[in-house]
Amino acid sequence: MSQVLVEAQQLSRTFGKKIVLDQVNLTLHAGSITGFVGANGAGKTTALRLMLGLIPGHGQTLFLGRPLAQWRAPASVVGAVFGGATGHRRHSVRAHLQMVAAGVGEGDRRVEEMIDLIGMRDAARTPLAKLSLGMAQRVGIAQAVIGRPKVLILDEPANGLDPHSIHWLREFLRAQADEGAAVLVSSHLLAEMQQLADRVAVLSKGRIVSEGSMRDLLAYADSRSVITVESPQLAEFTAIVNSHGGHLQASEDGTGRITGMNRRKVGHLAADHSIVLYQLAEATTSLEDFYLTIAEEEHKIS
C-alpha cells in the first residue's frame, strides 16, 4: 500500500438546520488520483474547503501527519485549484506567477517552467482579465503546483476546457501522481473520472455513499449489467444459469434477461452445455449509471 499523505476525518458542516456534510472521511495516497464525484450541490466544494481550513466546520484533516496550519511552508505541502487563477486582473500571466513564486520561495526560472508546462508561452503577457475560462484554469493549476506540493486538490478543473485541454489535464495529473503526489479531483463529469481516477469517492447529500478503487467500482457496475439472450433451449439454459450464480428471466418470445454475470461467463456456459444461442447482447452499467443508482438508493434511505 502506498504512503498515506492526507487523512480527512469526520468532516461535518451545517448551515442553519441543514446538514451540508455528514462525517465525511477521505484518505489520499501518494502516487494515486482520487476522483471525488457527485452531483452539483452534493457538498464536494464544501468538503474541499473544509479540508483546507478555508471555512469553519467539524473534524480535522492531516496533511503528511499534521494539520495544514502547523506547516511553515504550506505551499510545499498542498496546492489547490478553485475556479482558475486568482490575482489582479491587470497583471499578465507571467507577472502573476512571478508574484506567486516569490511568495513560496521560488524564482523566475520556476515561473518559466510553469509557463511552458501549461502551454502558455505565447500568452505569457496576456492580462488575467483577458484569459478564456480554459486558459484561466491552466494558470490556476500552475499557481497551485509552483511550490512543488506533495498534494494537489482541484475542484472541477475540467470546467471550460475544450477536448484538447482536457486531454492535457489528464496527462498532467497523471504525471503528478507518477511523481509521487496525491491528487484529489472533484467533478460531476463521471465519464472523465472513469478515464482518470485510480480511486473514487462518491458523495451524495453530504455523505460518502461509496468509496473504492475504480477497478472495483467498475467490476461492481459490470456485475449489474443485463445480458439478453435468445435460444430455442431457454428453459434448459435458465436452470444452468441459475445454478451458476446468475439469474435468467425468460420471456414468451424466446428471449431472456440475465443478471449477476457478464457476457463472457454466459458465453462459456452456453458452449460448455451445448446451448444454441441466436443472440447474446450485453447492456453494461457505466460509472454514471452506477452513481445514479446509489444516489437514488441513498435518497430512499434518507
Side-chain angles (χ1 to χ4, degrees):
M1 179 66 68
S2 58
Q3 179 186 7
V4 173
L5 298 187
V6 180
E7 291 180 277
Q9 304 165 345
Q10 303 293 300
L11 300 182
S12 300
R13 178 173 164 83
T14 58
F15 186 77
K17 293 183 179 181
K18 181 180 179 181
I19 298 175
V20 181
L21 291 179
D22 187 6
Q23 299 186 22
V24 168
N25 298 310
L26 278 174
T27 302
L28 307 183
H29 295 264
S32 181
I33 299 175
T34 299
F36 194 32
V37 302
N40 289 330
K44 302 186 301 297
T45 300
T46 299
L48 300 186
R49 291 188 178 277
L50 187 53
M51 288 173 66
L52 294 166
L54 300 176
I55 57 174
H58 299 284
Q60 71 169 352
T61 303
L62 303 179
F63 293 86
L64 283 67
R66 302 185 207 168
L68 191 57
Q70 293 183 10
W71 287 97
R72 295 183 61 184
S76 68
V77 177
V78 60
V81 181
F82 289 92
T86 54
H88 197 292
R89 290 171 55 82
R90 293 185 180 179
H91 284 177
S92 69
V93 170
R94 177 177 283 110
H96 171 67
L97 292 179
Q98 285 173 337
M99 181 183 67
V100 174
V104 300
E106 294 284 352
D108 288 350
R109 183 174 181 178
R110 179 63 171 166
V111 171
E112 298 307 313
E113 289 177 358
M114 291 295 97
I115 289 172
D116 286 335
L117 182 66
I118 62 175
M120 292 186 62
R121 176 63 57 188
D122 292 340
R125 295 182 180 180
T126 304
L128 297 185
K130 294 187 177 181
L131 295 178
S132 67
L133 180 57
M135 293 170 72
Q137 288 280 40
R138 290 195 182 213
V139 175
I141 290 170
Q143 178 179 316
V145 301
I146 204 165
R148 310 174 198 270
K150 307 284 193 304
V151 178
L152 191 56
I153 295 176
L154 305 97
D155 187 29
E156 301 278 3
N159 280 355
L161 298 186
D162 58 31
H164 175 77
S165 296
I166 289 176
H167 178 74
W168 170 85
L169 176 66
R170 191 184 304 140
E171 291 192 334
F172 170 80
L173 295 180
R174 176 52 57 193
Q176 294 293 308
D178 289 346
E179 291 175 6
V183 181
L184 178 62
V185 184
S186 80
S187 181
H188 64 279
L189 302 175
L190 303 181
E192 180 60 29
M193 287 299 98
Q194 193 165 330
Q195 298 182 62
L196 174 65
D198 305 305
R199 296 184 58 80
V200 180
V202 181
L203 190 70
S204 177
K205 300 179 68 176
R207 291 193 280 183
I208 297 289
V209 294
S210 181
E211 184 176 7
S213 71
M214 178 63 78
R215 179 180 298 177
D216 289 344
L217 287 182
L218 292 178
Y220 175 75
D222 188 52
S223 72
R224 297 168 70 106
S225 64
V226 177
I227 314 295
T228 300
V229 294
E230 182 180 0
S231 172
Q233 301 165 272
L234 204 55
E236 182 182 353
F237 197 38
T238 298
I240 294 169
V241 168
N242 293 350
S243 68
H244 284 79
H247 177 71
L248 193 158
Q249 182 177 2
S251 300
E252 294 181 357
D253 62 358
T255 64
R257 289 164 49 89
I258 299 174
T259 55
M261 60 179 59
N262 61 36
R263 69 181 186 280
R264 294 179 183 84
K265 186 170 183 178
V266 172
H268 283 300
L269 282 177
D272 292 344
H273 293 83
S274 301
I275 299 295
V276 175
L277 293 182
Y278 297 150
Q279 179 185 3
L280 174 59
E282 181 178 31
T284 58
T285 303
S286 66
L287 181 60
E288 184 170 5
D289 295 330
F290 169 76
Y291 170 75
L292 292 174
T293 298
I294 62 174
E296 178 63 22
E297 290 173 356
E298 172 69 10
H299 175 72
K300 292 177 180 177
I301 292 172
S302 59

